[in-house]
Amino acid sequence: MKNVIIWSVIAGAASAAIIALIYKRDEADELLHSAKGLGNRLVQYGNKLKDRFLHHVKGPNGEDVYIDMYDRQFYENAEGKRVYLAD
């Protein structure tokens, strides 16, 4: 599953690059910006799939709490950084 996601992202990036070379420079810049945005959203979605979501636990300000692969509980602050909860 992980390899399929990686290869699909690579194929998407390659096709976006080919299309960018075909269009004018202004259109290519806009296309590359949207492709980068899509890539960033795919990375965030993959990270959320990797970490298990805890439905019954909330962070100090009502944030969603996840468990990483080492069974440590954390939430993400406003800057997007992980804040681990003390057990």
Side-chain angles (χ1 to χ4, degrees), residues 8-40:
S8 63
V9 169
I10 291 172
S15 63
I18 290 170
I19 292 171
L21 293 173
I22 294 172
Y23 287 103
K24 296 178 187 175
R25 184 175 188 101
D26 295 336
E27 293 173 355
D29 289 340
E30 182 180 324
L31 181 63
L32 287 175
H33 179 68
S34 66
K36 285 180 185 178
L38 177 63
N40 290 338

Side-chain angles (χ1 to χ4, degrees), residues 53-59 62-67 73-74 85:
F53 175 66
L54 295 175
H55 296 283
H56 59 281
V57 180
K58 294 291 182 184
E63 298 94 346
D64 294 330
V65 175
Y66 301 91
I67 295 180
Q73 295 181 359
F74 69 93
L85 300 174

Side-chain angles (χ1 to χ4, degrees), residues 62-79:
E63 298 94 346
D64 294 330
V65 175
Y66 301 91
I67 295 180
D68 66 1
M69 63 185 184
Y70 301 110
D71 291 330
R72 297 180 295 183
Q73 295 181 359
F74 69 93
Y75 65 91
E76 293 184 356
N77 62 9
E79 297 171 358

